[in-house]
């Protein structure tokens, strides 16, 4: 997990991009720093695509790959600046950045506009992240116009602009051994955080006190930040899918749904666990919980090479819908209820998504209109749930129960491997851990 490994991985990826690009040019900018209020910034997070191909962590940096017979790799970055480095910390500066990160040339980022009209001259195709940021789109158009302005000197501008996502998303979808190591770390730290949340939870605590335990474990485990805003939702709040206020007291007799995970070296985990605030499931809670757990087992069982992306969702839906009938939430035959999407009243989201650098990671879900097949190296979440709001036609014992169980799964040759197994999820494991801390 050294910077050297990240640099080497990025170098290999740039070679693949250069080989695939023909005579094209690819330009990727990292994320801007964002003001939080007045002169205070949000914690900095680089752009996932830029970092995938550069491993370069600083803001104000742009990667330019020029393919062809003599491929060239450029980095534009901040200059060394003794005064700023005293205030804000180390900067590589172009010279050290080129040497350390393996670029043919690195230049001050202030030279970008001037150099781009030269680098785009006589290049047929420009690849960049179209529509990511209107200001960046405008800047790219400025370069094209600058090249067109030189037409009478015999220079031509790119006539095709290609969304770089098409190529990069397919690469990012299949994780290599190094990426899987990082995802294992993110998963392991996040699983410990969930164990800790179960160990400390008791009635009378506030949701944010449990959130604080999660954040402490993420950071202590080397995660830069949570991979997304943690959801710590007691009782009825669990039926709000993106509840993030996390400011209410936890009540005996309620369930607590926690959807939280850390980001390690740029890779996300994404775990949800649901458990009783006071450590023992009530009978109705247990019935609903066992249903979601069985649906998750069926969905994970459907993750294997060759199966379609939708197979886990369909497996989960069948069990959940049958369970909704058994719990008297729905009436009718299961096929008809699935056909009519009657389950959506209690299960309104899908069973998973790609996972990687971004919590909802890059990659298409369909190819040519068909759900794509799983391939070894893909990583995804499997996260069925049930969310039951109070209503006259709903058995009262089930009111305000919200349950989701979410794990991170790697597709392997043999089937799949659950990366987040260390977070307890059977009723026995949870009750045992909460009894003994
Ligand atoms: N935590 C976001 C999700 O589960 O998709
Ligand atoms: Mn998820
Ligand atoms: Mn989640």
């Amino acid at each position: 997990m050294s910077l050297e490994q990240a640099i080497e991985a990025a170098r290999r990826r740039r070679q693949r991009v250069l080989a695939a690009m023909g005579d094209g040019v690819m330009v990727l900018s990292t994320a801007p720093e964002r003001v939080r209020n007045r002169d205070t910034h949000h914690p900095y997070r680089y752009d996932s695509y830029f970092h995938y191909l550069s491993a370069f962590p600083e803001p104000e940096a742009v990667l330019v790959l020029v393919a062809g017979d003599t491929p060239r790799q450029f980095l534009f970055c901040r200059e060394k600046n003794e005064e700023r480095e005293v205030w804000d910390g180390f900067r590589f500066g172009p010279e050290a950045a080129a040497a350390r990160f393996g670029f043919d040339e690195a230049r001050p980022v202030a030279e970008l506009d001037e150099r781009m009209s030269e680098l785009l001259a006589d290049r047929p195709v420009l690849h960049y992240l179209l529509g990511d940021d209107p200001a960046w789109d405008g800047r790219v158009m400025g370069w094209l116009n600058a090249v067109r302005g030189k037409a009478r000197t015999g220079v031509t501008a790119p006539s095709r602009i290609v969304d770089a996502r098409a190529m990069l998303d397919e690469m990012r979808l299949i994780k290599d051994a190094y990426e899987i190591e990082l995802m294992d770390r993110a998963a392991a730290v996040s699983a410990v955080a969930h164990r800790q949340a179960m160990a400390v939870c008791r009635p009378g605590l506030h949701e944010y006190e449990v959130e604080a335990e999660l954040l402490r474990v993420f950071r202590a485990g080397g995660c830069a930040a949570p991979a997304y805003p943690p959801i710590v939702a007691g009782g009825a709040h669990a039926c709000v899918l993106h509840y993030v206020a996390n400011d209410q007291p936890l009540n005996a007799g309620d369930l607590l749904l926690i959807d939280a995970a850390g980001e390690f070296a740029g890779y996300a985990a994404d775990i949800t666990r649901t458990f009783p605030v006071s450590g023992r499931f009530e009978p109705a809670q247990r019935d609903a919980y066992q249903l979601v757990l069985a649906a998750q087992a069926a969905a994970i069982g459907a993750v294997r090479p060759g199966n379609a992306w939708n197979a886990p969702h369909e497996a989960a839906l069948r069990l959940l819908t049958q369970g909704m009938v058994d719990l008297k939430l729905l009436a009718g035959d299961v096929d008809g209820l699935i056909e009519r999407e009657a389950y959506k009243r209690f299960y309104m989201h899908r069973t998973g998504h790609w996972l990687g650098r971004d919590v909802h990671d890059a990659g298409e879900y369909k190819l040519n209109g068909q759900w794509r097949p799983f391939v070894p190296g893909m990583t995804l979440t499997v996260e069925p749930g049930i969310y039951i709001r109070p209503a006259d036609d709903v058995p009262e014992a089930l009111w305000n129960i919200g349950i989701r169980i979410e794990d991170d799964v790697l597709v392997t040759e043999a089937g799949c491997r659950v990366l987040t197994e260390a977070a307890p999820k059977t009723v026995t494991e949870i009750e045992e851990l909460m009894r003994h801390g």
Side-chain angles (χ1 to χ4, degrees), residues 192-244:
V192 172
H194 278 266
R195 294 185 67 92
Q196 175 67 5
M198 289 175 194
V200 302
C201 184
R202 60 176 193 276
L205 285 186
H206 284 77
E207 292 162 341
Y208 55 74
E209 292 176 89
V210 178
E211 181 184 8
E213 292 293 325
L214 297 159
L215 296 175
R216 182 182 66 72
V217 176
F218 296 159
R219 201 69 186 103
C223 291
Y228 51 89
I231 296 168
V232 183
H237 306 130
C239 295
V240 178
L241 293 179
H242 291 163
Y243 176 82
V244 290

Side-chain angles (χ1 to χ4, degrees), residues 241 313 317 343-344 346-352 383-387 403-404:
L241 293 179
H313 184 57
L317 272 189
Y343 57 82
K344 276 198 172 166
F346 305 106
Y347 181 49
M348 54 299 280
H349 60 77
R350 296 192 52 88
T351 304
E383 49 177 306
I386 194 165
Y387 312 92
I403 296 167
R404 178 163 65 256

Side-chain angles (χ1 to χ4, degrees), residues 81 115 161 242 278 406:
N81 179 329
R115 288 300 292 278
I161 296 184
H242 291 163
S278 32
E406 175 174 31

